[in-house]
PDB file of all heavy atoms in Angstrom:
ATOM      1  N   PRO A 168     -54.642  14.865  16.822  1.00  0.00           N
ATOM      2  CA  PRO A 168     -53.654  13.836  17.217  1.00  0.00           C
ATOM      3  C   PRO A 168     -52.993  13.235  15.987  1.00  0.00           C
ATOM      4  O   PRO A 168     -51.778  13.000  15.964  1.00  0.00           O
ATOM      5  CB  PRO A 168     -54.485  12.798  17.979  1.00  0.00           C
ATOM      6  CG  PRO A 168     -55.679  13.550  18.462  1.00  0.00           C
ATOM      7  CD  PRO A 168     -55.972  14.593  17.407  1.00  0.00           C
ATOM      8  N   LYS A 169     -53.783  12.952  14.962  1.00  0.00           N
ATOM      9  CA  LYS A 169     -53.229  12.376  13.758  1.00  0.00           C
ATOM     10  C   LYS A 169     -52.353  13.378  12.984  1.00  0.00           C
ATOM     11  O   LYS A 169     -51.269  13.041  12.499  1.00  0.00           O
ATOM     12  CB  LYS A 169     -54.390  11.902  12.880  1.00  0.00           C
ATOM     13  CG  LYS A 169     -53.957  10.890  11.875  1.00  0.00           C
ATOM     14  CD  LYS A 169     -55.036   9.860  11.529  1.00  0.00           C
ATOM     15  CE  LYS A 169     -54.904   8.636  12.386  1.00  0.00           C
ATOM     16  NZ  LYS A 169     -56.052   7.756  12.324  1.00  0.00           N
ATOM     17  N   LEU A 170     -52.800  14.626  12.924  1.00  0.00           N
ATOM     18  CA  LEU A 170     -51.978  15.637  12.256  1.00  0.00           C
ATOM     19  C   LEU A 170     -50.647  15.828  12.949  1.00  0.00           C
ATOM     20  O   LEU A 170     -49.604  15.991  12.288  1.00  0.00           O
ATOM     21  CB  LEU A 170     -52.738  16.981  12.221  1.00  0.00           C
ATOM     22  CG  LEU A 170     -53.848  17.110  11.158  1.00  0.00           C
ATOM     23  CD1 LEU A 170     -54.738  18.315  11.414  1.00  0.00           C
ATOM     24  CD2 LEU A 170     -53.282  17.145   9.762  1.00  0.00           C
ATOM     25  N   LEU A 171     -50.647  15.763  14.273  1.00  0.00           N
ATOM     26  CA  LEU A 171     -49.372  15.873  14.996  1.00  0.00           C
ATOM     27  C   LEU A 171     -48.450  14.732  14.635  1.00  0.00           C
ATOM     28  O   LEU A 171     -47.247  14.931  14.430  1.00  0.00           O
ATOM     29  CB  LEU A 171     -49.650  15.901  16.493  1.00  0.00           C
ATOM     30  CG  LEU A 171     -50.078  17.276  17.053  1.00  0.00           C
ATOM     31  CD1 LEU A 171     -50.586  17.123  18.482  1.00  0.00           C
ATOM     32  CD2 LEU A 171     -48.924  18.287  16.988  1.00  0.00           C
ATOM     33  N   GLN A 172     -49.004  13.520  14.531  1.00  0.00           N
ATOM     34  CA  GLN A 172     -48.179  12.380  14.150  1.00  0.00           C
ATOM     35  C   GLN A 172     -47.637  12.567  12.718  1.00  0.00           C
ATOM     36  O   GLN A 172     -46.488  12.240  12.419  1.00  0.00           O
ATOM     37  CB  GLN A 172     -48.999  11.075  14.171  1.00  0.00           C
ATOM     38  CG  GLN A 172     -49.278  10.561  15.593  1.00  0.00           C
ATOM     39  CD  GLN A 172     -50.062   9.267  15.481  1.00  0.00           C
ATOM     40  OE1 GLN A 172     -51.257   9.264  15.117  1.00  0.00           O
ATOM     41  NE2 GLN A 172     -49.422   8.146  15.752  1.00  0.00           N
ATOM     42  N   ILE A 173     -48.501  13.059  11.833  1.00  0.00           N
ATOM     43  CA  ILE A 173     -48.063  13.300  10.448  1.00  0.00           C
ATOM     44  C   ILE A 173     -46.924  14.316  10.411  1.00  0.00           C
ATOM     45  O   ILE A 173     -45.879  14.071   9.784  1.00  0.00           O
ATOM     46  CB  ILE A 173     -49.256  13.823   9.587  1.00  0.00           C
ATOM     47  CG1 ILE A 173     -50.315  12.697   9.389  1.00  0.00           C
ATOM     48  CG2 ILE A 173     -48.771  14.340   8.232  1.00  0.00           C
ATOM     49  CD1 ILE A 173     -51.643  13.179   8.874  1.00  0.00           C
ATOM     50  N   PHE A 174     -47.073  15.389  11.123  1.00  0.00           N
ATOM     51  CA  PHE A 174     -46.053  16.447  11.070  1.00  0.00           C
ATOM     52  C   PHE A 174     -44.772  16.015  11.772  1.00  0.00           C
ATOM     53  O   PHE A 174     -43.688  16.326  11.311  1.00  0.00           O
ATOM     54  CB  PHE A 174     -46.603  17.738  11.638  1.00  0.00           C
ATOM     55  CG  PHE A 174     -47.722  18.390  10.819  1.00  0.00           C
ATOM     56  CD1 PHE A 174     -48.617  19.265  11.367  1.00  0.00           C
ATOM     57  CD2 PHE A 174     -47.860  18.082   9.463  1.00  0.00           C
ATOM     58  CE1 PHE A 174     -49.641  19.839  10.593  1.00  0.00           C
ATOM     59  CE2 PHE A 174     -48.861  18.620   8.668  1.00  0.00           C
ATOM     60  CZ  PHE A 174     -49.763  19.517   9.260  1.00  0.00           C
ATOM     61  N   GLU A 175     -44.903  15.306  12.884  1.00  0.00           N
ATOM     62  CA  GLU A 175     -43.710  14.784  13.581  1.00  0.00           C
ATOM     63  C   GLU A 175     -42.917  13.882  12.637  1.00  0.00           C
ATOM     64  O   GLU A 175     -41.683  13.956  12.538  1.00  0.00           O
ATOM     65  CB  GLU A 175     -44.078  13.979  14.825  1.00  0.00           C
ATOM     66  CG  GLU A 175     -44.358  14.846  16.043  1.00  0.00           C
ATOM     67  CD  GLU A 175     -45.097  14.090  17.130  1.00  0.00           C
ATOM     68  OE1 GLU A 175     -45.179  12.827  17.068  1.00  0.00           O
ATOM     69  OE2 GLU A 175     -45.571  14.759  18.065  1.00  0.00           O
ATOM     70  N   THR A 176     -43.644  12.997  11.963  1.00  0.00           N
ATOM     71  CA  THR A 176     -42.958  12.074  11.048  1.00  0.00           C
ATOM     72  C   THR A 176     -42.355  12.841   9.852  1.00  0.00           C
ATOM     73  O   THR A 176     -41.227  12.546   9.436  1.00  0.00           O
ATOM     74  CB  THR A 176     -43.965  11.008  10.515  1.00  0.00           C
ATOM     75  OG1 THR A 176     -44.650  10.483  11.632  1.00  0.00           O
ATOM     76  CG2 THR A 176     -43.266   9.913   9.762  1.00  0.00           C
ATOM     77  N   ALA A 177     -43.055  13.818   9.345  1.00  0.00           N
ATOM     78  CA  ALA A 177     -42.543  14.629   8.235  1.00  0.00           C
ATOM     79  C   ALA A 177     -41.245  15.318   8.686  1.00  0.00           C
ATOM     80  O   ALA A 177     -40.257  15.322   7.960  1.00  0.00           O
ATOM     81  CB  ALA A 177     -43.591  15.657   7.813  1.00  0.00           C
ATOM     82  N   VAL A 178     -41.271  15.894   9.859  1.00  0.00           N
ATOM     83  CA  VAL A 178     -40.075  16.614  10.383  1.00  0.00           C
ATOM     84  C   VAL A 178     -38.883  15.639  10.510  1.00  0.00           C
ATOM     85  O   VAL A 178     -37.760  15.984  10.116  1.00  0.00           O
ATOM     86  CB  VAL A 178     -40.389  17.309  11.729  1.00  0.00           C
ATOM     87  CG1 VAL A 178     -39.111  17.831  12.380  1.00  0.00           C
ATOM     88  CG2 VAL A 178     -41.376  18.468  11.491  1.00  0.00           C
ATOM     89  N   GLN A 179     -39.145  14.440  11.006  1.00  0.00           N
ATOM     90  CA  GLN A 179     -38.057  13.430  11.131  1.00  0.00           C
ATOM     91  C   GLN A 179     -37.397  13.161   9.787  1.00  0.00           C
ATOM     92  O   GLN A 179     -36.222  12.877   9.717  1.00  0.00           O
ATOM     93  CB  GLN A 179     -38.630  12.108  11.617  1.00  0.00           C
ATOM     94  CG  GLN A 179     -38.819  11.999  13.097  1.00  0.00           C
ATOM     95  CD  GLN A 179     -39.714  10.790  13.450  1.00  0.00           C
ATOM     96  OE1 GLN A 179     -39.852   9.845  12.650  1.00  0.00           O
ATOM     97  NE2 GLN A 179     -40.285  10.828  14.622  1.00  0.00           N
ATOM     98  N   HIS A 180     -38.176  13.237   8.714  1.00  0.00           N
ATOM     99  CA  HIS A 180     -37.655  12.898   7.393  1.00  0.00           C
ATOM    100  C   HIS A 180     -37.407  14.130   6.521  1.00  0.00           C
ATOM    101  O   HIS A 180     -37.272  14.001   5.289  1.00  0.00           O
ATOM    102  CB  HIS A 180     -38.630  11.931   6.687  1.00  0.00           C
ATOM    103  CG  HIS A 180     -38.820  10.661   7.419  1.00  0.00           C
ATOM    104  ND1 HIS A 180     -37.798   9.752   7.607  1.00  0.00           N
ATOM    105  CD2 HIS A 180     -39.912  10.124   8.017  1.00  0.00           C
ATOM    106  CE1 HIS A 180     -38.245   8.703   8.309  1.00  0.00           C
ATOM    107  NE2 HIS A 180     -39.523   8.927   8.589  1.00  0.00           N
ATOM    108  N   ASP A 181     -37.330  15.306   7.158  1.00  0.00           N
ATOM    109  CA  ASP A 181     -37.061  16.561   6.419  1.00  0.00           C
ATOM    110  C   ASP A 181     -38.064  16.801   5.296  1.00  0.00           C
ATOM    111  O   ASP A 181     -37.708  17.224   4.205  1.00  0.00           O
ATOM    112  CB  ASP A 181     -35.650  16.579   5.835  1.00  0.00           C
ATOM    113  CG  ASP A 181     -34.592  16.776   6.915  1.00  0.00           C
ATOM    114  OD1 ASP A 181     -34.937  17.342   7.962  1.00  0.00           O
ATOM    115  OD2 ASP A 181     -33.474  16.297   6.719  1.00  0.00           O
ATOM    116  N   ILE A 182     -39.303  16.450   5.529  1.00  0.00           N
ATOM    117  CA  ILE A 182     -40.379  16.717   4.559  1.00  0.00           C
ATOM    118  C   ILE A 182     -41.024  18.058   4.877  1.00  0.00           C
ATOM    119  O   ILE A 182     -41.477  18.308   5.998  1.00  0.00           O
ATOM    120  CB  ILE A 182     -41.428  15.584   4.573  1.00  0.00           C
ATOM    121  CG1 ILE A 182     -40.756  14.245   4.187  1.00  0.00           C
ATOM    122  CG2 ILE A 182     -42.584  15.909   3.621  1.00  0.00           C
ATOM    123  CD1 ILE A 182     -41.666  13.012   4.275  1.00  0.00           C
TER     124      ILE A 182
END
Side-chain angles (χ1 to χ4, degrees):
K169 199 148 266 168
L170 282 168
L171 280 168
Q172 286 182 289
I173 291 166
F174 292 157
E175 278 165 11
T176 311
V178 169
Q179 278 166 21
H180 299 296
D181 289 334
I182 298 174

